[in-house]
Amino acid sequence: MTMCINGKGKFNDFANRKGPRWRSGGAATRLWGKTVTAGKGNRYICPMQFYDIPGQEFIKSHLRQSAASGRIAHAQLFVGPEGSGMLAMAIAYAQYILCGNLGSENSGGNEACNLKFAALAHPDLHFIYPTVSTEEVKSKPKSIDFITEWREFVLANPHGSLFDWYQALEVANKQGLIRVEDAAEVLKVMALKPYEGGYKIMIVWMADKMNIEASNKLLKIIEEPPQKTVFILITENEEDIVQTIRSRCQVLHFGPIPEEILAETLVSRENADPRLARNLARQSQGNYSKALHLLHGDSEELPFEEWFVLWVRAAFRAKGNASAISDLISWSEKIAGLGRETQKKFLHFCIDMFRQALLLNYQATSLVYMEPKIDKFKLENFAPFVNGNNIGEIYEELSSAVYHIERNGNAKIILTDLSIKLTRLIHKK
């Protein structure tokens, strides 16, 4: 059920969103924040609904019950993998609290409040997220400096990844951070009384990107929170958040979206062919954001596959062939010219490719989900070169490269060194 509200406070159920009875500015999964025309020209705007978040039924029930009973933890930490719906859940939960909604969905409460949430414009809802310096914001960037871009990004796809956000910001060779200036803004905003007399809610997206100064400053207000304030921290890397903050939060763990639920969602909301939906659900491994990218043909993994194949082919040729080393150096220069976030994401993709090849080599075919589309490259032909004798070192070298790139090491040197090592490891029996 997707409930949308019009200017007269009347709701309409857009569960059956096919045919002439509805039309909107976006795909079915993007009704949230859109204006929908139905019936006799009545216009409705659609807030975020728990229904719009695939899976996570236990967490939905827990959050609704905590709000209904008034037992709302002042600091909560949502932990889960990419594409598991944590940001969408945080927003739906915040709406449920601030608007006094009833039952299982975001309806039945303050209708004007629900309208504000449809545009992410409620005065008692605040966001902190990683940012970078740009031509417009040259130094000390804060989340508030990018609030327009943030609202557009989230309304377009509330399941978007950190990499998607960086692409929207055009970060180039920079890495996003949550800085002490953001933490100072949190203290300032949360110290004020709620605009509408209820709660004030702060959502900190990708809280693991806080630097030490920001973490220490945020810790102070989490330890001694003002009345009726709620902090929702979201992370995909729980261990990267300082222990003193983690220990003061109620932690909720999100799991990957089950394959069957993800496939059903792609069919019902994106009108995907059932067979294609099952295949995409398997490939995306519970990541709704990735499934949408694959479905709409805008996945970043197509160039990743090309780069990976070029790399391993050059590494094969380079053994005992000094002239082929130039191909590896050229490859390293090409990847080094990309943004650091793209480099890191690509190296993680390489780790997944080697892991899939290992599984295939040891006949664990039920766990193999990657299907490379590069001409004349078959995973089953590559698999014999990845085995128990070299996978550990390959993983270690790739992880080390990610570590040093993240710490602003010289990418060309790091990738050239990695490539030369791969030449030796790929031939190790």
Side-chain angles (χ1 to χ4, degrees):
M1 178 177 62
T2 295
M3 302 299 294
C4 301
I5 184 173
N6 68 9
K8 299 177 181 178
K10 296 182 179 179
F11 285 85
N12 198 355
D13 176 3
F14 287 90
N16 179 23
R17 293 167 289 179
K18 295 181 180 179
R21 76 180 286 269
W22 75 275
R23 61 183 182 272
S24 75
T29 55
R30 292 165 177 79
L31 273 178
W32 175 41
K34 301 295 184 184
T35 299
V36 179
T37 304
K40 298 179 180 180
N42 293 318
R43 295 172 67 78
Y44 296 79
I45 193 163
C46 308
M48 168 59 76
Q49 302 291 340
F50 287 107
Y51 167 87
D52 294 318
I53 306 163
Q56 316 298 356
E57 296 304 322
F58 175 80
I59 293 177
K60 292 177 189 176
S61 176
H62 166 77
L63 294 176
R64 285 192 296 257
Q65 288 177 13
S66 72
S69 64
R71 299 174 64 87
I72 302 170
H74 82 276
Q76 303 182 41
L77 177 60
F78 289 6
V79 179
E82 180 185 299
S84 57
M86 292 184 290
L87 177 59
M89 189 77 78
I91 294 170
Y93 180 44
Q95 182 177 345
Y96 200 86
I97 294 171
L98 292 176
C99 299
N101 288 321
L102 306 170
S104 62
E105 282 301 341
N106 271 318
S107 59
N110 185 320
E111 293 157 358
C113 173
N114 284 319
L115 280 171
K116 292 171 187 174
F117 260 88
L120 292 182
H122 194 285
D124 292 324
L125 174 68
H126 306 277
F127 293 95
I128 297 294
Y129 36 83
T131 58
V132 298
S133 57
T134 64
E135 285 297 316
E136 291 76 24
V137 185
K138 295 185 182 296
S139 66
K140 297 182 179 180
K142 301 188 296 294
S143 297
I144 193 64
D145 298 326
F146 299 91
I147 189 62
T148 300
E149 293 87 347
W150 172 254
R151 285 173 176 159
E152 290 174 355
F153 169 74
V154 177
L155 288 171
N157 183 9
H159 301 277
S161 67
L162 181 61
F163 188 73
D164 294 333
W165 171 236
Y166 287 155
Q167 286 189 312
L169 288 182
E170 299 179 353
V171 299
N173 208 32
K174 301 170 184 174
Q175 300 184 85
L177 280 177
I178 297 175
R179 298 169 179 82
V180 68
E181 289 80 14
D182 264 321
E185 188 74 14
V186 170
L187 267 64
K188 176 183 174 183
V189 167
M190 300 305 274
L192 300 174
K193 289 184 179 180
Y195 186 83
E196 296 193 356
Y199 281 88
K200 290 180 76 72
I201 298 179
M202 175 68 69
I203 297 175
V204 184
W205 187 62
M206 299 302 168
D208 52 285
K209 297 300 179 182
M210 286 189 291
N211 60 22
I212 294 298
E213 293 82 1
S215 297
N216 291 337
K217 207 168 190 70
L218 186 64
L219 176 62
K220 293 179 181 178
I221 194 170
I222 290 179
E223 286 180 324
E224 299 178 5
Q227 282 190 335
K228 288 202 167 185
T229 56
V230 178
F231 292 87
I232 303 174
L233 281 64
I234 298 172
T235 183
E236 295 169 7
N237 302 288
E238 183 178 1
E239 298 302 317
D240 289 343
I241 296 178
V242 296
Q243 176 60 30
T244 46
I245 288 181
R246 277 189 284 151
S247 64
R248 287 161 176 79
C249 294
Q250 181 186 85
V251 181
L252 291 177
H253 286 96
F254 288 60
I257 300 169
E259 193 173 304
E260 59 276 14
I261 292 177
L262 195 48
E264 290 170 6
T265 302
L266 293 175
V267 172
S268 63
R269 302 184 196 176
E270 299 288 336
N271 296 320
D273 174 77
R275 185 175 178 181
L276 174 63
R278 287 193 298 271
N279 189 33
L280 295 181
R282 187 162 179 260
Q283 288 184 53
S284 58
Q285 292 291 284
N287 183 336
Y288 188 32
S289 177
K290 182 177 179 179
L292 290 174
H293 280 304
L294 290 170
L295 178 64
H296 297 297
D298 58 357
S299 172
E300 72 278 355
E301 292 193 358
L302 183 58
F304 285 2
E305 284 185 7
E306 294 174 356
W307 301 340
F308 178 81
V309 172
L310 283 172
W311 187 40
V312 294
R313 283 175 174 169
F316 272 113
R317 292 195 305 271
K319 185 182 181 182
N321 182 4
S323 61
I325 294 293
S326 63
D327 292 336
L328 286 174
I329 294 173
S330 297
W331 178 90
S332 300
E333 290 174 343
K334 178 180 179 180
I335 305 302
L338 306 170
R340 291 187 183 275
E341 294 300 330
T342 303
Q343 292 166 12
K344 291 190 295 182
K345 193 169 183 68
F346 170 63
L347 291 172
H348 283 298
F349 172 83
C350 293
I351 290 173
D352 288 339
M353 284 291 283
F354 279 110
R355 184 185 291 119
Q356 291 284 285
L358 180 71
L359 291 170
L360 194 56
N361 190 18
Y362 286 94
Q363 308 303 312
T365 54
S366 62
L367 300 176
V368 178
Y369 59 87
M370 282 187 165
E371 300 176 1
K373 301 176 178 63
I374 304 302
D375 187 41
K376 296 181 180 178
F377 179 84
K378 295 186 178 298
L379 198 58
E380 54 266 33
N381 295 336
F382 175 62
F385 294 92
V386 185
N387 53 67
N389 292 324
N390 64 6
I391 187 61
E393 290 181 82
I394 290 172
Y395 175 79
E396 185 178 332
E397 295 298 339
L398 284 164
S399 299
S400 177
V402 172
Y403 176 88
H404 288 103
I405 286 172
E406 194 163 43
R407 281 149 185 81
N408 295 317
N410 186 303
K412 182 179 176 181
I413 294 174
I414 293 167
L415 293 168
T416 300
D417 178 65
L418 175 64
S419 300
I420 293 171
K421 289 176 178 175
L422 179 65
T423 300
R424 173 179 59 84
L425 292 172
I426 205 71
H427 292 281
K428 190 174 181 179
K429 302 296 184 181

